[in-house]
Amino acid sequence: MPDHSPGQPLRLTRQRQAVADALEDDDQFRSAREIHAVLRERGNAIGLATVYRTLQLLADHDEVDVIRSADGEAGYRRCSDTHHHHLVCRTCGATVEVEGPAVERWTRAMAEEHGYDEVSHTLEIFGVCARCR
Amino acid sequence: MPDHSPGQPLRLTRQRQAVADALEDDDQFRSAREIHAVLRERGNAIGLATVYRTLQLLADHDEVDVIRSADGEAGYRRCSDTHHHHLVCRTCGATVEVEGPAVERWTRAMAEEHGYDEVSHTLEIFGVCARCR
DNA sequence: GTGAATGCAAACGTTTTGCACAGAA
DNA sequence: TTCTGTGCAAAACGTTTGCATTCAC
């Protein structure tokens, strides 16, 4: 349930549409720069600052997930309906989505046990995939 | 079991000792800037770059945990011996260590199921603690 | 004495912001 | 016509790096 409370008008522009489309076409986490590059390649002129502003807007409205990689770059991905995690190859970057109620339950239980509310979590699994071994 | 393999000599300097001490006195995640400020306050002159270099060194030797906050700043904290995860308050940053074999088993199982090897994982739980609510 | 470690400042890459202009509504 | 959204370039931010100097060994 995205917030969509139009305290401000929220205009539909070509650029916002383009960023949303780019995210729709992709189920990997992408950096702002990658998204910007893809749009330019498609001939869709857009400023990097606008990409950032749009991504932040989408994040505020819970329409994209944001992840922070170890090097400090932020990755953005459209929210899928089901919550899941990523199994990433350390060598080639190949990503598999995994999900399971076990972790979800465990994290929530841990949080409640310590009196924490409004719980969310991030979990990434790293390894070396079969092909890279 | 820190690596301590002295391919390079690894010298004990006043500055490295100071950073290690600062981490020892604290069981919260602290940014490099915070650590730098604390040391200066104590009259322990040290350059910010040295703080960064030392923290990176400690991280390489698995002597500190590194966490990435949403705003891109890195947090450092001394490692405890057992593998565990963190329950962090989104508002005040209060951190609780949690551990449990359930997640460990689950991540390993998921990785193996997809043919991944040399598995590691990162898991952070975020919420709002009782005091901040 | 030798080479690793430091400090400083400059460089770096990512993200944010100020401002004049463009374009949805 | 209005006022949000955009582009650009500059600034800000955390972090890294080059280099002359210092200091642990």
Side-chain angles (χ1 to χ4, degrees):
Chain A
M1 24 99 254
D3 185 29
H4 272 194
S5 60
Q8 283 83 288
L10 208 341
R11 296 183 174 173
L12 182 60
T13 63
R14 178 180 59 78
Q15 290 89 336
R16 286 184 181 168
Q17 190 65 57
V19 171
D21 287 351
L23 289 166
E24 204 55 44
D25 295 349
D26 211 320
D27 50 7
Q28 299 272 68
F29 281 92
R30 297 298 180 192
S31 70
R33 261 213 350 279
E34 285 174 323
I35 292 169
H36 181 239
V38 167
L39 293 180
R40 289 246 148 140
E41 273 173 29
R42 292 185 187 171
N44 211 333
I46 184 172
L48 181 56
T50 301
V51 173
Y52 274 108
R53 279 189 276 234
T54 304
L55 288 171
Q56 189 169 289
L57 198 70
L58 290 171
D60 289 344
H61 288 254
D62 292 320
E63 283 167 24
V64 298
D65 285 330
V66 186
I67 204 182
R68 283 267 165 194
S69 61
D71 69 348
E73 210 179 17
Y76 302 87
R77 211 197 48 162
R78 64 159 211 281
C79 279
S80 59
D81 298 337
T82 66
H83 179 77
H84 58 251
H85 302 287
H86 298 103
L87 174 54
V88 184
C89 177
R90 254 191 295 265
T91 306
C92 69
T95 303
V96 179
E97 292 188 355
V98 294
E99 58 179 300
V103 207
E104 313 300 320
R105 258 187 273 112
W106 185 79
T107 55
R108 212 168 321 118
M110 280 297 156
E112 276 169 20
E113 188 175 303
H114 291 92
Y116 282 59
D117 222 0
E118 297 177 44
V119 184
S120 67
H121 64 265
T122 67
L123 168 60
E124 308 292 332
I125 313 176
F126 302 97
V128 180
C129 75
R131 288 214 314 175
C132 289
R133 201 164 49 239
Chain B
M1 24 90 263
D3 186 26
H4 272 195
S5 59
Q8 284 83 286
L10 205 341
R11 298 183 174 175
L12 181 59
T13 64
R14 178 179 59 78
Q15 291 88 335
R16 283 184 182 167
Q17 192 62 58
V19 171
D21 287 350
L23 288 166
E24 207 53 44
D25 296 348
D26 211 320
D27 50 5
Q28 297 273 69
F29 282 92
R30 297 297 179 193
S31 71
R33 261 212 350 278
E34 285 174 323
I35 293 168
H36 181 239
V38 167
L39 293 180
R40 290 246 146 142
E41 274 173 29
R42 292 185 188 172
N44 212 332
I46 185 173
L48 182 54
T50 302
V51 174
Y52 274 109
R53 280 188 276 233
T54 304
L55 288 171
Q56 190 170 288
L57 198 70
L58 291 170
D60 288 347
H61 288 253
D62 293 321
E63 284 168 23
V64 298
D65 285 331
V66 186
I67 204 183
R68 284 265 165 197
S69 60
D71 70 348
E73 212 178 14
Y76 302 87
R77 213 198 48 163
R78 66 163 205 281
C79 269
S80 58
D81 299 337
T82 63
H83 178 77
H84 57 250
H85 301 287
H86 299 105
L87 173 54
V88 185
C89 176
R90 255 192 294 266
T91 306
C92 71
T95 304
V96 178
E97 294 188 353
V98 293
E99 60 180 300
V103 206
E104 312 301 320
R105 259 187 272 112
W106 185 79
T107 55
R108 213 170 318 119
M110 279 296 156
E112 276 168 21
E113 188 176 302
H114 291 92
Y116 281 60
D117 223 1
E118 296 177 47
V119 184
S120 67
H121 64 266
T122 67
L123 168 60
E124 308 292 331
I125 313 176
F126 302 98
V128 179
C129 76
R131 286 214 316 176
C132 289
R133 202 160 53 237

Coordinates of all heavy atoms in Angstrom, one line a residue, chain A residues 45-96:
Chain A
A45 N 17.0 10.8 -22.8 CA 17.8 11.8 -22.1 C 17.3 12.1 -20.8 O 16.1 12.3 -20.6 CB 17.9 13.0 -23.0
I46 N 18.2 12.0 -19.8 CA 17.8 12.3 -18.4 C 19.0 12.7 -17.6 O 20.1 12.1 -17.9 CB 17.0 11.1 -17.8 CG1 16.5 11.4 -16.4 CG2 17.9 9.9 -17.7 CD1 15.6 10.4 -15.8
G47 N 18.9 13.6 -16.7 CA 20.0 14.0 -15.8 C 20.2 13.0 -14.7 O 19.2 12.4 -14.2
L48 N 21.4 12.8 -14.3 CA 21.7 11.9 -13.2 C 21.0 12.4 -11.9 O 20.5 11.6 -11.1 CB 23.2 11.8 -13.0 CG 23.7 10.9 -11.9 CD1 23.2 9.5 -12.1 CD2 25.3 10.9 -11.8
A49 N 21.0 13.7 -11.7 CA 20.3 14.2 -10.5 C 18.9 13.8 -10.5 O 18.3 13.5 -9.4 CB 20.5 15.7 -10.4
T50 N 18.3 13.8 -11.6 CA 16.8 13.5 -11.7 C 16.6 12.0 -11.4 O 15.7 11.6 -10.7 CB 16.3 13.8 -13.1 OG1 16.5 15.2 -13.3 CG2 14.8 13.5 -13.2
V51 N 17.6 11.2 -11.8 CA 17.5 9.8 -11.5 C 17.5 9.6 -10.0 O 16.7 8.9 -9.4 CB 18.6 9.0 -12.1 CG1 18.7 7.5 -11.6 CG2 18.5 9.0 -13.6
Y52 N 18.5 10.3 -9.3 CA 18.6 10.2 -7.9 C 17.3 10.7 -7.2 O 16.8 10.1 -6.3 CB 19.7 11.0 -7.4 CG 21.0 10.3 -7.4 CD1 22.0 10.5 -8.3 CD2 21.3 9.2 -6.5 CE1 23.2 9.8 -8.3 CE2 22.5 8.5 -6.5 CZ 23.5 8.8 -7.4 OH 24.6 8.2 -7.4
R53 N 16.8 11.8 -7.7 CA 15.6 12.4 -7.1 C 14.4 11.5 -7.2 O 13.6 11.3 -6.3 CB 15.3 13.8 -7.7 CG 16.2 14.9 -7.1 CD 15.8 16.3 -7.5 NE 16.3 16.7 -8.8 CZ 17.1 17.8 -9.0 NH1 17.3 18.6 -8.0 NH2 17.5 18.0 -10.2
T54 N 14.3 10.9 -8.4 CA 13.2 10.0 -8.6 C 13.3 8.7 -7.8 O 12.3 8.3 -7.2 CB 13.1 9.6 -10.1 OG1 13.0 10.8 -10.9 CG2 11.9 8.7 -10.4
L55 N 14.5 8.2 -7.7 CA 14.7 6.9 -6.9 C 14.4 7.2 -5.4 O 13.8 6.4 -4.8 CB 16.1 6.4 -7.1 CG 16.4 5.8 -8.4 CD1 17.9 5.6 -8.5 CD2 15.6 4.6 -8.6
Q56 N 14.8 8.4 -5.0 CA 14.5 8.7 -3.6 C 13.0 8.8 -3.3 O 12.4 8.4 -2.3 CB 15.2 10.0 -3.2 CG 15.1 10.3 -1.7 CD 16.1 11.5 -1.4 OE1 17.3 11.4 -1.4 NE2 15.5 12.6 -1.1
L57 N 12.3 9.4 -4.3 CA 10.9 9.6 -4.3 C 10.2 8.2 -4.2 O 9.3 7.9 -3.4 CB 10.4 10.3 -5.5 CG 9.0 11.0 -5.5 CD1 9.0 12.1 -4.5 CD2 8.6 11.4 -6.9
L58 N 10.7 7.3 -5.1 CA 10.1 6.0 -5.2 C 10.4 5.2 -3.9 O 9.5 4.5 -3.4 CB 10.7 5.2 -6.3 CG 10.2 5.7 -7.7 CD1 11.0 5.0 -8.8 CD2 8.7 5.4 -7.9
A59 N 11.6 5.4 -3.3 CA 11.9 4.7 -2.0 C 11.0 5.3 -0.9 O 10.5 4.5 -0.1 CB 13.4 5.0 -1.7
D60 N 10.7 6.6 -0.9 CA 9.9 7.2 0.1 C 8.5 6.6 0.0 O 7.8 6.5 1.0 CB 9.8 8.7 -0.1 CG 11.1 9.4 0.3 OD1 11.9 8.7 1.0 OD2 11.3 10.5 0.0
H61 N 8.1 6.2 -1.2 CA 6.7 5.7 -1.4 C 6.7 4.2 -1.3 O 5.7 3.5 -1.7 CB 6.2 6.2 -2.7 CG 5.8 7.6 -2.7 ND1 4.5 8.1 -2.6 CD2 6.6 8.7 -2.6 CE1 4.5 9.4 -2.6 NE2 5.7 9.8 -2.6
D62 N 7.8 3.6 -0.9 CA 7.9 2.1 -0.8 C 7.7 1.4 -2.1 O 7.1 0.3 -2.1 CB 6.9 1.6 0.3 CG 7.3 2.0 1.7 OD1 8.5 2.0 2.0 OD2 6.4 2.4 2.4
E63 N 8.1 2.0 -3.2 CA 7.9 1.4 -4.4 C 9.2 0.7 -4.9 O 9.3 0.0 -5.9 CB 7.4 2.4 -5.5 CG 5.9 2.6 -5.3 CD 5.3 3.7 -6.1 OE1 6.0 4.1 -7.1 OE2 4.3 4.3 -5.6
V64 N 10.3 1.1 -4.3 CA 11.6 0.4 -4.5 C 12.3 0.0 -3.2 O 12.1 0.6 -2.2 CB 12.6 1.2 -5.4 CG1 12.0 1.5 -6.7 CG2 13.0 2.5 -4.6
D65 N 13.0 -1.1 -3.3 CA 13.9 -1.5 -2.2 C 15.3 -0.9 -2.4 O 15.7 -0.8 -3.5 CB 14.0 -3.0 -2.2 CG 12.8 -3.7 -1.6 OD1 12.1 -3.1 -0.8 OD2 12.5 -4.9 -2.0
V66 N 15.9 -0.5 -1.3 CA 17.2 0.1 -1.4 C 18.2 -0.8 -0.6 O 17.8 -1.3 0.5 CB 17.3 1.5 -0.8 CG1 18.6 2.1 -1.0 CG2 16.2 2.3 -1.4
I67 N 19.3 -1.1 -1.2 CA 20.3 -2.0 -0.6 C 21.6 -1.2 -0.6 O 21.9 -0.4 -1.5 CB 20.4 -3.3 -1.3 CG1 21.0 -4.4 -0.4 CG2 21.3 -3.2 -2.5 CD1 21.1 -5.7 -1.1
R68 N 22.4 -1.4 0.4 CA 23.7 -0.7 0.4 C 24.8 -1.8 0.3 O 25.0 -2.6 1.1 CB 24.0 0.0 1.8 CG 23.3 1.3 2.0 CD 24.1 2.4 1.6 NE 23.3 3.6 1.4 CZ 23.6 4.7 0.8 NH1 24.8 4.8 0.3 NH2 22.8 5.7 0.7
S69 N 25.6 -1.7 -0.8 CA 26.7 -2.7 -1.0 C 27.8 -2.3 -0.1 O 27.8 -1.2 0.5 CB 27.1 -2.7 -2.4 OG 27.5 -1.4 -2.8
A70 N 28.8 -3.2 0.0 CA 29.9 -3.0 0.9 C 30.7 -1.7 0.6 O 31.3 -1.1 1.4 CB 30.8 -4.2 0.9
D71 N 30.7 -1.4 -0.7 CA 31.5 -0.2 -1.1 C 30.7 1.1 -1.0 O 31.2 2.2 -1.4 CB 32.0 -0.4 -2.5 CG 31.0 -0.3 -3.6 OD1 29.8 -0.4 -3.2 OD2 31.3 -0.3 -4.8
G72 N 29.5 1.1 -0.4 CA 28.8 2.3 -0.2 C 27.9 2.8 -1.2 O 27.2 3.7 -1.1
E73 N 27.9 2.0 -2.4 CA 27.0 2.4 -3.4 C 25.6 1.9 -3.1 O 25.4 0.8 -2.6 CB 27.5 1.9 -4.8 CG 27.1 2.7 -6.0 CD 27.6 2.1 -7.3 OE1 28.0 0.9 -7.3 OE2 27.7 2.8 -8.3
A74 N 24.5 2.6 -3.4 CA 23.2 2.2 -3.2 C 22.6 1.4 -4.4 O 22.9 1.8 -5.5 CB 22.3 3.3 -2.8
G75 N 21.9 0.3 -4.1 CA 21.3 -0.4 -5.2 C 19.8 -0.3 -5.1 O 19.2 -0.3 -4.0
Y76 N 19.1 -0.1 -6.2 CA 17.7 0.0 -6.2 C 17.0 -1.0 -7.0 O 17.5 -1.4 -8.1 CB 17.3 1.4 -6.8 CG 17.9 2.6 -6.1 CD1 19.2 3.0 -6.4 CD2 17.3 3.2 -5.0 CE1 19.8 4.1 -5.8 CE2 17.9 4.3 -4.4 CZ 19.1 4.7 -4.7 OH 19.7 5.7 -4.1
R77 N 15.9 -1.5 -6.6 CA 15.1 -2.5 -7.3 C 13.6 -2.4 -7.0 O 13.3 -2.1 -5.8 CB 15.6 -3.9 -6.9 CG 15.5 -4.9 -8.0 CD 15.6 -6.3 -7.3 NE 14.7 -6.4 -6.2 CZ 14.3 -7.5 -5.7 NH1 14.7 -8.7 -6.2 NH2 13.4 -7.5 -4.7
R78 N 12.8 -2.6 -8.0 CA 11.4 -2.5 -7.7 C 11.0 -3.5 -6.7 O 11.6 -4.6 -6.6 CB 10.6 -2.7 -9.0 CG 10.7 -4.1 -9.6 CD 9.6 -4.4 -10.5 NE 9.4 -5.9 -10.4 CZ 10.1 -6.8 -11.0 NH1 11.1 -6.4 -11.8 NH2 9.9 -8.1 -10.9
C79 N 10.0 -3.1 -5.8 CA 9.6 -4.1 -4.8 C 8.8 -5.2 -5.5 O 8.0 -5.0 -6.4 CB 8.6 -3.4 -3.9 SG 9.4 -2.4 -2.6
S80 N 9.2 -6.4 -5.1 CA 8.3 -7.5 -5.6 C 7.3 -7.7 -4.5 O 7.4 -7.3 -3.4 CB 9.1 -8.8 -5.9 OG 9.8 -9.1 -4.7
D81 N 6.2 -8.4 -4.9 CA 5.1 -8.6 -4.0 C 5.6 -9.5 -2.8 O 5.2 -9.3 -1.7 CB 3.9 -9.2 -4.7 CG 3.4 -8.3 -5.8 OD1 3.7 -7.1 -5.6 OD2 2.8 -8.7 -6.7
T82 N 6.4 -10.5 -3.1 CA 6.8 -11.4 -2.0 C 8.2 -10.9 -1.5 O 9.0 -10.5 -2.3 CB 7.0 -12.8 -2.5 OG1 8.0 -12.9 -3.5 CG2 5.7 -13.3 -3.2
H83 N 8.3 -11.0 -0.3 CA 9.6 -10.6 0.3 C 10.6 -11.8 0.1 O 10.3 -12.9 0.4 CB 9.4 -10.3 1.8 CG 10.7 -10.0 2.5 ND1 11.3 -8.7 2.4 CD2 11.5 -10.7 3.3 CE1 12.4 -8.7 3.1 NE2 12.5 -9.9 3.7
H84 N 11.8 -11.5 -0.3 CA 12.8 -12.6 -0.5 C 14.2 -12.0 -0.4 O 14.4 -10.8 -0.2 CB 12.6 -13.2 -1.8 CG 12.7 -12.3 -3.0 ND1 11.6 -11.9 -3.7 CD2 13.8 -11.6 -3.5 CE1 12.0 -11.1 -4.7 NE2 13.3 -10.9 -4.5
H85 N 15.2 -12.9 -0.4 CA 16.6 -12.5 -0.2 C 17.4 -12.9 -1.4 O 16.9 -13.5 -2.3 CB 17.1 -13.0 1.1 CG 16.3 -12.6 2.3 ND1 16.3 -11.3 2.8 CD2 15.3 -13.2 3.0 CE1 15.5 -11.2 3.8 NE2 14.9 -12.4 3.9
H86 N 18.7 -12.6 -1.3 CA 19.5 -12.9 -2.5 C 20.7 -13.7 -2.1 O 21.4 -13.5 -1.1 CB 20.0 -11.6 -3.1 CG 18.8 -10.8 -3.6 ND1 18.4 -9.7 -3.0 CD2 18.0 -10.9 -4.7 CE1 17.3 -9.2 -3.6 NE2 17.1 -9.9 -4.7
L87 N 21.0 -14.6 -3.0 CA 22.2 -15.5 -2.9 C 23.1 -15.1 -4.1 O 22.8 -15.2 -5.2 CB 21.7 -17.0 -3.1 CG 22.8 -18.1 -3.2 CD1 23.7 -18.0 -2.0 CD2 22.1 -19.4 -3.2
V88 N 24.2 -14.5 -3.7 CA 25.0 -13.8 -4.7 C 26.4 -14.5 -4.8 O 27.0 -14.8 -3.8 CB 25.3 -12.3 -4.3 CG1 26.1 -11.6 -5.4 CG2 24.0 -11.6 -4.0
C89 N 26.8 -14.7 -6.0 CA 28.1 -15.3 -6.3 C 29.2 -14.3 -6.1 O 29.2 -13.2 -6.8 CB 28.3 -16.0 -7.6 SG 29.9 -16.6 -7.9
R90 N 30.2 -14.5 -5.2 CA 31.2 -13.6 -5.0 C 32.1 -13.4 -6.2 O 32.8 -12.3 -6.3 CB 32.1 -14.1 -3.8 CG 32.0 -13.5 -2.5 CD 33.1 -13.9 -1.5 NE 33.0 -15.3 -1.2 CZ 32.4 -15.8 -0.2 NH1 31.8 -15.0 0.7 NH2 32.3 -17.1 0.1
T91 N 32.2 -14.3 -7.1 CA 33.1 -14.2 -8.2 C 32.4 -13.6 -9.4 O 32.9 -12.6 -9.9 CB 33.6 -15.6 -8.6 OG1 34.1 -16.3 -7.5 CG2 34.6 -15.5 -9.7
C92 N 31.2 -14.1 -9.8 CA 30.6 -13.6 -11.1 C 29.4 -12.8 -10.8 O 28.8 -12.2 -11.7 CB 30.3 -14.8 -12.0 SG 28.9 -15.8 -11.4
G93 N 28.9 -12.7 -9.6 CA 27.8 -11.9 -9.3 C 26.4 -12.5 -9.6 O 25.4 -11.8 -9.4
A94 N 26.4 -13.7 -10.1 CA 25.1 -14.3 -10.4 C 24.2 -14.4 -9.1 O 24.7 -14.7 -8.0 CB 25.4 -15.8 -10.8
T95 N 23.0 -14.0 -9.3 CA 22.1 -13.8 -8.2 C 20.9 -14.8 -8.3 O 20.3 -14.9 -9.4 CB 21.6 -12.4 -8.1 OG1 22.7 -11.5 -8.1 CG2 20.7 -12.2 -6.9
V96 N 20.6 -15.4 -7.2 CA 19.4 -16.2 -7.1 C 18.5 -15.7 -6.0 O 19.0 -15.3 -4.9 CB 19.8 -17.7 -6.7 CG1 18.5 -18.6 -6.6 CG2 20.7 -18.3 -7.7

